[in-house]
Amino acid sequence: MSIKLADYLFTRLRQLGIRSIFGVPGDYNLHLLDFVQPSGLAWVGTCNELNAAYAADGYARTNGLSALITTFGVGELSAINGVAGAYAEKAPIIHIVGTPARATQDSRALVHHTLADGEFRRFADMASHVTVAQVDLKDPRLVPDQIDWVLREALIHNRPVYLEVPDDMVDVLVDASNLPSVICIPLAPVTGHEPVLLGRILERIYAATRPLILVDGESRCMDILGDIDRLVKTTDWPTWTTIFGKSLVNEQLPNVYGVYAGSLGDPQWKDYFDSADLIINMGPHYSDTNSQNFTTIPNPAVTITLANTYIQIDNDVYRDTHPSSILPQILRNIDSSRIPRVTGPAKSVKEVNQLKPSDSITQNDFYRIVNSLIREDDLVLTETGTAAHGGRNMVLPQNTRLFGPATWLSIGYMLPATLGATLAQRERTNNPESRAILFIGDGSLQMTVQEISTMIRENLNVVIIVINNEGYTIERAIHGRKQSYNDIAPWRHAQALGFFGADDKPARQNYFSAWTWGELDAALRDKRIQNGTGLRIIEVFMGREDVQGALLRLMEKQIADEY
Amino acid sequence: MSIKLADYLFTRLRQLGIRSIFGVPGDYNLHLLDFVQPSGLAWVGTCNELNAAYAADGYARTNGLSALITTFGVGELSAINGVAGAYAEKAPIIHIVGTPARATQDSRALVHHTLADGEFRRFADMASHVTVAQVDLKDPRLVPDQIDWVLREALIHNRPVYLEVPDDMVDVLVDASNLPSVICIPLAPVTGHEPVLLGRILERIYAATRPLILVDGESRCMDILGDIDRLVKTTDWPTWTTIFGKSLVNEQLPNVYGVYAGSLGDPQWKDYFDSADLIINMGPHYSDTNSQNFTTIPNPAVTITLANTYIQIDNDVYRDTHPSSILPQILRNIDSSRIPRVTGPAKSVKEVNQLKPSDSITQNDFYRIVNSLIREDDLVLTETGTAAHGGRNMVLPQNTRLFGPATWLSIGYMLPATLGATLAQRERTNNPESRAILFIGDGSLQMTVQEISTMIRENLNVVIIVINNEGYTIERAIHGRKQSYNDIAPWRHAQALGFFGADDKPARQNYFSAWTWGELDAALRDKRIQNGTGLRIIEVFMGREDVQGALLRLMEKQIADEY
């Protein structure tokens, strides 16, 4: 039995749970796009390709996998920064590029969307730096296995892959006989060391006197979140996350503390960490920004690390045993009566300032106040900048997923990512009331603002909280506090909804602004914010140099250095 | 004598005529940005990095050279599609990337804006595909020569170059002794064949019976535009341009015909071309889109080609003799009395439809009507799509430069390019009344719309003519006439100026819309359009499938194939 290449590809994507594809049409991909909707997939055209990649990233983090279609050269290069971010922070995007017909490429014709030098391999070469596998679908005999291989690579590594589809290959027939077996991650054979490892882990658990659990961000895509939840509940041990790991455990559990911040955070927490004799460390991701400048990486001498491709206990590394295999075994074999009962440090109680309704809104108290808006099943997205720093301290209801920046930190990412994540959430839960709350600074908003129109077109329920502090305040904290390069052109956010195509009445009624706590309170209580639908904006004005936490220390250092 | 690295670099850029630098701040480039304004350069922060690259491209095409500063990883990859376009179509951008400090890179630390794998060379490797030279400024002893070398490469090739400045190198001292000699393109030694070549060219000129001159787009950066003008006037021979060459000769001269379109254009012109016995072909650029699908490339047997790196006469190629050297010699040595006087074909007279004021606006007549708006010294920019196709047929006043797409054809390019080009024009002419007119479709506008705010902030005089045909009409012509993937979300362009920060009154008064010829006429006559300043928008509504010329043939073919 045979099938057209495009039908084969899109059938595979459907089988893997993809419902929508993001991208931008271009003349080398138009024939391919003809096959999207007939195969039961929705086409979500975005305003530009970088935004499409960001949206696909958000979709992949929520759905487990996503697809992006761009055109050769211009389209794929516009998207490449978004693909790189998905590589850095593990979001598997299937990046499909419509390329010139094989005859055109073979003849080295000087066609448009090339550098007019007859060279067609440059862009694939560039993509190879930010994708884990690449295929160029040029021979029908190879196509089914190429597609299956590259999709499996994406699933295994949770990172983007790159497929080139020459324009004349779209409707060639390929063998369909692979299709009945759905692609999945093959199980690794059980290695001989697995029983030994299991025994060592259990022994360490039973012997612990000051244990803790640390959940890092790569856990998200290791298929272990359910088991982590069970481990946290079964042991009742003090549990923290990293910045990247936030929201991957239920923050409502009494033994879950929040984000561990090393010497920048609660000193009692740090004491507990420093004197721990067992740290169960899952999904590690050791970038400077995720590890508070490398200070929260657990001491290997007391740590059991469950990483995607290895398990480390003390200084012994076991390869080819996967956490998704060993963690269920731990839970099955553990003798609950032998789990040490421990008391963790006190939970941080932050001194709460009394806020007058007429006072200006400040970073220091803002996230605590706005925390009340978040309810179960919400998606919360906090863009790089003061929003991400503030979001770390919010306490989330259960089943609330938060996406914040970990390592790539490309500003502008979070708004299109919200588009993708919210769409995936709606599809996944089949709940038209699925909702997202995006916290974003005015500088970041300018980068990718046009996707507000795509959110409106897709009828997504999103509350955008725009923090207007007249520019790149996080950079003012780092360097150039008074430098004009950290300023931006002022916009009238009140007009955003109307400009981007919302109907007249919602465009007027769904915008709120707040300079004071009183105004913020009124906006948060408004029924359109609490129970409304569609896109809503709350613009919150804060000081140009208003920062808190670690950023405040940077700002203070800078001010001190000025004298 | 020594000088800080950043001061050395920016001094060199100033010496080469750069007055403004485009870019976006990021934590790896903030120290570098501290040096921009003190060195007498203006910092033009754009809303995102791709837009900064596009703006730098427009600036380079007007000014001859431009500079772009981005941050490591996220910033440079966002910009890379714009840099690639500048490579393809020859605009020399000095792309300066602020990178992590040397110690950070040497230690392979897993810092943010990397893929968290300790590899710092990926992005430079990617950049090497779209730049002609790359330097990493890591050793103060090498820095001055590295900078001078890379700048000379940009000048010679008229293409982008790539400089990495580690954060800790910004203020190290480097030797300043090169600075008094300004960087220039070295003269090539006169080769032995030059007198022979000159003789052959003159002989061919004197012997011609059906000669013509063809000016292609790479002439722009070959330092020969003055000599081309003299040649066109001296010979009085029939002269055409390619699409890319448009506006590089004075279209008001009686012997200048316009854009040669081969079999898609005037048949008499084609007859003349086909029977020509001498074609003087300057600045060739043979992409499919610039050569009407390779049909307008002159027959080499009758052609003298003056390219940037060679001169070809019949089938003999002379290397290392440059048009900027041989063309002045031709003009100096030519015996005017021996230049054949020839009569070219008739100029095309397009049948002019009578337009009723109440009729809808159509592509077919639109560009002829709006042509009246353009005046001497204007910049005219026509974005990829129907705008570029229409713009080819406009007749420009002298000293009017038009930028249209040639080969890269990245939609979204032209709006930020207008920002860069208009700024360069204002600086170059020192004329605050410098003005640009941008023709852009609604689909392209969505890609990079936020730079409207930068134009407003920079007080640039720009008239944006938005062609609203509800999506990607050029792609509807190519394929997918009725497919929804060629649609876009509808925006309210009337609110653009207000949203992007124009003062209230101009925001209301500087927007015009036209569905009919009568409304268009009124907008074009309005004193705010004719003599106003700042940013103005005319939104022109046209049919979703309304195309003309070559696009109309594509659309008609598609319709025919549907039956």
Side-chain angles (χ1 to χ4, degrees):
Chain A
M1 212 180 66
S2 63
I3 185 171
K4 289 180 178 171
L5 182 151
D7 285 324
Y8 186 96
L9 175 60
F10 293 140
T11 300
R12 280 310 205 192
L13 298 186
R14 284 267 309 170
Q15 288 175 343
L16 291 171
I18 290 175
R19 292 288 169 272
S20 297
I21 300 186
F22 299 89
V24 178
D27 63 343
Y28 295 126
N29 70 26
L30 298 176
H31 290 104
L32 185 62
L33 296 188
D34 287 346
F35 289 79
V36 171
Q37 285 175 343
S39 65
L41 291 158
W43 172 250
V44 183
T46 54
C47 298
N48 67 41
E49 289 91 350
L50 177 57
N51 297 359
Y54 285 158
D57 177 307
Y59 189 97
R61 292 190 200 203
T62 308
N63 182 61
L65 195 69
S66 70
L68 164 70
I69 301 182
T70 61
T71 198
F72 185 69
V74 291
E76 59 182 306
L77 292 193
S78 286
I80 204 163
N81 176 44
V83 176
Y87 187 104
E89 299 187 5
K90 295 209 163 177
I93 297 173
I94 314 301
H95 186 188
I96 301 160
V97 180
T99 66
R102 288 169 293 173
T104 303
Q105 295 194 51
D106 290 348
S107 69
R108 304 182 71 83
L110 309 186
V111 295
H112 60 288
H113 300 345
T114 70
L115 304 184
D117 59 358
E119 176 54 59
F120 288 81
R121 305 309 308 151
R122 294 182 186 285
F123 313 129
D125 187 87
M126 291 157 86
S128 71
H129 284 291
V130 293
T131 53
V132 287
Q134 306 83 30
V135 289
D136 188 3
L137 305 179
K138 291 174 77 174
D139 188 315
R141 297 167 297 182
L142 296 170
V143 163
D145 289 343
Q146 282 180 303
I147 290 176
D148 290 1
W149 172 74
V150 82
L151 292 175
R152 204 173 280 116
E153 289 277 329
L155 291 176
I156 286 182
H157 297 288
N158 281 286
R159 286 187 148 146
V161 296
Y162 178 83
L163 286 93
E164 290 173 84
V165 184
D167 195 35
D168 64 319
M169 284 293 289
V170 168
D171 57 3
V172 300
L173 292 174
V174 303
D175 181 41
S177 58
N178 286 0
L179 281 181
S181 359
V182 173
I183 293 169
C184 58
I185 299 180
L187 287 177
V190 175
T191 55
H193 60 240
E194 211 161 294
V196 178
L197 176 61
L198 180 64
R200 283 187 71 177
I201 292 174
L202 288 174
E203 210 171 292
R204 288 292 306 275
I205 288 177
Y206 300 145
T209 59
R210 279 175 78 87
L212 68 91
I213 296 170
L214 179 64
V215 181
D216 204 346
E218 297 200 11
S219 302
R220 171 174 49 77
C221 48
M222 284 161 61
D223 197 20
I224 55 170
L225 290 183
D227 289 326
I228 289 178
D229 186 60
R230 279 182 280 279
L231 185 71
V232 170
K233 285 177 181 153
T234 302
T235 60
D236 198 33
W237 285 353
T239 299
W240 282 267
T241 72
T242 61
I243 290 165
F244 194 21
K246 182 164 178 74
S247 86
L248 299 181
V249 289
N250 178 359
E251 300 188 359
Q252 297 297 322
L253 293 174
N255 56 320
V256 173
Y257 283 76
V259 174
Y260 178 58
S263 54
L264 296 173
D266 186 314
Q268 291 188 59
W269 295 6
K270 182 165 162 41
D271 282 349
Y272 191 87
F273 258 76
D274 289 348
S275 58
D277 63 347
L278 175 60
I279 298 177
I280 301 182
N281 173 35
M282 288 172 289
H285 183 91
Y286 293 148
S287 64
D288 62 344
T289 30
N290 188 43
S291 64
Q292 314 271 3
N293 211 19
F294 310 117
T295 61
T296 64
I297 297 172
N299 172 8
V302 298
T303 300
I304 298 172
T305 298
L306 306 182
N308 195 33
T309 57
Y310 66 90
I311 293 171
Q312 182 167 350
I313 178 165
D314 301 333
N315 287 313
D316 301 332
V317 175
Y318 295 84
R319 293 214 161 258
D320 308 320
T321 294
H322 295 275
S324 59
S325 148
I326 203 80
L327 208 46
Q329 294 185 60
I330 296 171
L331 289 163
R332 253 197 321 273
N333 289 290
I334 202 163
D335 177 350
S336 301
S337 68
R338 296 181 62 195
I339 300 174
R341 305 289 148 204
V342 300
T343 308
K347 287 212 166 181
S348 301
V349 181
K350 208 175 168 184
E351 205 174 306
V352 172
N353 299 317
Q354 286 304 315
L355 308 174
K356 285 195 216 135
S358 60
D359 279 356
S360 298
I361 298 167
T362 54
Q363 291 276 349
N364 191 56
D365 292 289
F366 174 69
Y367 295 93
R368 175 172 59 79
I369 296 298
V370 83
N371 204 146
S372 66
L373 181 61
I374 300 165
R375 62 185 184 214
E376 207 168 317
D377 296 324
D378 275 349
L379 282 174
V380 180
L381 300 103
T382 60
E383 171 69 308
T384 297
T386 57
H389 281 260
R392 289 172 198 166
N393 299 319
M394 294 197 293
V395 181
L396 302 173
Q398 66 175 348
N399 296 320
T400 299
R401 183 60 62 82
L402 179 141
F403 294 121
T407 294
W408 193 240
L409 278 66
S410 186
I411 67 167
Y413 159 78
M414 209 55 83
L415 190 142
T418 302
L419 160 65
T422 315
L423 191 70
Q425 174 94 326
R426 186 172 69 188
E427 291 171 357
R428 204 169 56 87
T429 60
N430 217 354
N431 177 3
E433 294 187 2
S434 281
R435 189 179 80 157
I437 298 168
L438 165 65
F439 293 85
I440 186 169
D442 54 350
S444 294
L445 182 75
Q446 295 199 349
M447 295 252 158
T448 55
V449 67
Q450 47 269 85
E451 297 318 320
I452 286 178
S453 75
T454 313
M455 292 182 184
I456 292 171
R457 191 191 62 204
E458 300 291 331
N459 290 311
L460 295 174
N461 302 322
V462 178
V463 178
I464 301 181
I465 298 180
V466 179
I467 296 156
N468 186 334
N469 44 22
E470 301 177 8
Y472 307 118
T473 290
I474 191 172
E475 294 183 347
R476 291 187 183 122
I478 295 169
H479 185 80
R481 186 169 69 93
K482 296 286 187 198
Q483 291 278 23
S484 61
Y485 56 67
N486 284 326
D487 299 341
I488 57 172
W491 290 8
R492 290 199 188 80
H493 300 109
Q495 298 181 26
L497 295 174
F499 175 57
F500 287 121
D503 290 339
D504 259 343
K505 209 169 146 191
R508 275 178 290 115
Q509 295 182 334
N510 282 338
Y511 169 82
F512 300 83
S513 69
W515 291 83
T516 64
W517 296 116
E519 288 163 354
L520 178 63
D521 187 59
L524 294 177
R525 286 170 188 273
D526 192 285
K527 68 175 193 304
R528 289 189 194 82
I529 295 297
Q530 285 293 331
N531 304 309
T533 57
L535 195 62
R536 289 146 285 167
I537 292 177
I538 306 176
E539 181 171 17
V540 179
F541 295 87
M542 299 199 212
R544 294 164 59 92
E545 296 180 26
D546 180 19
V547 288
Q548 45 101 31
L551 294 177
L552 181 59
R553 275 177 281 259
L554 285 173
M555 188 75 89
E556 286 169 345
K557 181 175 180 306
Q558 210 183 137
I559 292 170
D561 289 349
E562 287 163 16
Y563 294 102
Chain B
M1 212 182 65
S2 64
I3 184 172
K4 289 180 178 172
L5 182 151
D7 284 325
Y8 187 95
L9 175 60
F10 293 142
T11 300
R12 280 310 204 191
L13 297 186
R14 284 267 309 171
Q15 287 175 344
L16 291 170
I18 290 174
R19 292 287 171 273
S20 297
I21 299 186
F22 299 90
V24 177
D27 64 343
Y28 296 126
N29 70 26
L30 297 176
H31 290 106
L32 185 61
L33 297 189
D34 286 346
F35 289 78
V36 171
Q37 285 176 343
S39 65
L41 291 157
W43 172 250
V44 183
T46 55
C47 298
N48 66 41
E49 289 91 349
L50 178 56
N51 296 359
Y54 285 158
D57 177 308
Y59 189 97
R61 291 189 202 205
T62 307
N63 183 60
L65 195 69
S66 70
L68 165 69
I69 301 182
T70 62
T71 197
F72 186 68
V74 291
E76 58 182 305
L77 292 193
S78 285
I80 204 165
N81 176 45
V83 176
Y87 187 103
E89 300 188 4
K90 296 207 161 177
I93 297 173
I94 314 303
H95 186 187
I96 300 160
V97 180
T99 67
R102 289 170 293 174
T104 304
Q105 295 194 51
D106 290 348
S107 69
R108 303 181 74 82
L110 308 188
V111 294
H112 60 288
H113 301 346
T114 70
L115 304 184
D117 59 357
E119 176 53 61
F120 288 81
R121 306 309 308 151
R122 293 183 186 285
F123 313 129
D125 187 86
M126 292 158 85
S128 71
H129 283 292
V130 294
T131 53
V132 287
Q134 305 84 31
V135 289
D136 187 4
L137 304 179
K138 291 174 77 175
D139 188 314
R141 296 165 298 180
L142 295 169
V143 163
D145 289 343
Q146 282 180 302
I147 290 175
D148 290 1
W149 171 74
V150 83
L151 292 175
R152 203 173 281 117
E153 288 279 327
L155 291 176
I156 285 182
H157 297 290
N158 280 285
R159 285 185 149 146
V161 296
Y162 178 83
L163 285 93
E164 291 173 83
V165 183
D167 195 34
D168 65 319
M169 284 293 290
V170 166
D171 57 4
V172 300
L173 292 175
V174 303
D175 182 41
S177 60
N178 287 358
L179 280 181
S181 3
V182 174
I183 293 168
C184 57
I185 300 181
L187 287 177
V190 175
T191 55
H193 59 238
E194 211 159 294
V196 179
L197 175 62
L198 180 64
R200 283 186 71 177
I201 292 173
L202 288 173
E203 212 171 289
R204 287 291 306 276
I205 288 176
Y206 300 146
T209 61
R210 280 174 76 86
L212 68 90
I213 296 169
L214 179 64
V215 181
D216 204 346
E218 297 199 10
S219 302
R220 171 175 48 78
C221 47
M222 285 161 59
D223 197 21
I224 56 171
L225 291 183
D227 289 325
I228 289 178
D229 186 61
R230 279 181 279 280
L231 185 72
V232 169
K233 284 178 179 154
T234 303
T235 60
D236 199 33
W237 285 354
T239 299
W240 282 267
T241 72
T242 62
I243 290 165
F244 194 22
K246 184 164 177 72
S247 86
L248 299 183
V249 289
N250 178 0
E251 299 187 4
Q252 298 296 323
L253 293 175
N255 56 320
V256 173
Y257 283 75
V259 174
Y260 178 59
S263 54
L264 296 172
D266 186 315
Q268 291 188 59
W269 294 6
K270 180 163 163 43
D271 282 349
Y272 191 87
F273 258 78
D274 288 348
S275 59
D277 63 347
L278 175 61
I279 298 177
I280 301 181
N281 174 34
M282 288 171 290
H285 183 90
Y286 293 149
S287 65
D288 62 344
T289 30
N290 187 43
S291 64
Q292 315 271 359
N293 212 19
F294 310 118
T295 62
T296 65
I297 297 173
N299 172 8
V302 299
T303 301
I304 298 171
T305 298
L306 306 183
N308 195 32
T309 56
Y310 67 91
I311 293 171
Q312 182 167 352
I313 178 164
D314 304 331
N315 288 312
D316 302 332
V317 175
Y318 295 84
R319 293 213 162 259
D320 307 319
T321 295
H322 295 273
S324 59
S325 147
I326 202 80
L327 207 46
Q329 292 184 61
I330 295 170
L331 289 162
R332 253 197 321 273
N333 289 288
I334 202 163
D335 177 350
S336 301
S337 67
R338 294 180 64 193
I339 300 174
R341 305 289 148 202
V342 299
T343 309
K347 286 210 168 181
S348 301
V349 182
K350 208 174 169 186
E351 206 175 305
V352 172
N353 299 316
Q354 286 302 317
L355 308 174
K356 285 195 215 136
S358 59
D359 280 356
S360 299
I361 296 167
T362 54
Q363 291 275 349
N364 192 56
D365 293 289
F366 174 69
Y367 295 92
R368 176 172 58 80
I369 297 298
V370 83
N371 205 147
S372 65
L373 181 60
I374 300 164
R375 63 186 183 213
E376 207 166 318
D377 296 324
D378 275 349
L379 282 175
V380 180
L381 300 102
T382 61
E383 171 68 308
T384 296
T386 57
H389 281 259
R392 291 172 197 166
N393 300 318
M394 294 198 291
V395 181
L396 303 173
Q398 66 174 350
N399 296 321
T400 300
R401 183 61 61 83
L402 179 142
F403 294 120
T407 294
W408 193 239
L409 276 67
S410 186
I411 68 168
Y413 159 77
M414 209 57 81
L415 190 142
T418 301
L419 160 65
T422 314
L423 190 69
Q425 175 94 327
R426 185 172 69 189
E427 290 172 357
R428 205 171 56 88
T429 62
N430 217 353
N431 177 3
E433 293 187 3
S434 280
R435 189 179 79 158
I437 298 168
L438 166 65
F439 294 85
I440 186 167
D442 53 350
S444 295
L445 183 74
Q446 294 199 351
M447 294 251 159
T448 53
V449 66
Q450 47 271 83
E451 296 319 320
I452 286 178
S453 75
T454 314
M455 290 181 185
I456 291 170
R457 190 192 61 203
E458 299 293 329
N459 290 312
L460 294 174
N461 301 322
V462 177
V463 178
I464 301 181
I465 297 181
V466 179
I467 296 158
N468 186 335
N469 44 23
E470 300 177 10
Y472 306 119
T473 289
I474 192 172
E475 295 184 346
R476 291 187 183 122
I478 295 168
H479 185 79
R481 185 170 67 93
K482 296 287 186 196
Q483 293 278 24
S484 62
Y485 57 67
N486 285 325
D487 299 341
I488 58 172
W491 290 7
R492 290 200 187 80
H493 300 108
Q495 298 181 25
L497 296 173
F499 175 57
F500 288 121
D503 289 339
D504 259 341
K505 207 168 148 194
R508 277 178 288 115
Q509 295 182 334
N510 282 337
Y511 168 82
F512 302 83
S513 70
W515 293 82
T516 65
W517 296 116
E519 288 164 357
L520 178 62
D521 187 58
L524 295 177
R525 286 170 189 274
D526 192 285
K527 67 176 195 300
R528 288 188 193 83
I529 296 296
Q530 286 292 330
N531 304 309
T533 57
L535 195 60
R536 289 145 285 167
I537 292 178
I538 306 176
E539 181 170 19
V540 180
F541 295 87
M542 299 198 211
R544 292 165 60 92
E545 297 180 24
D546 179 17
V547 288
Q548 47 99 32
L551 295 176
L552 181 58
R553 275 177 283 258
L554 286 172
M555 187 75 88
E556 286 169 346
K557 181 175 178 309
Q558 209 183 139
I559 292 170
D561 290 348
E562 288 164 15
Y563 294 103

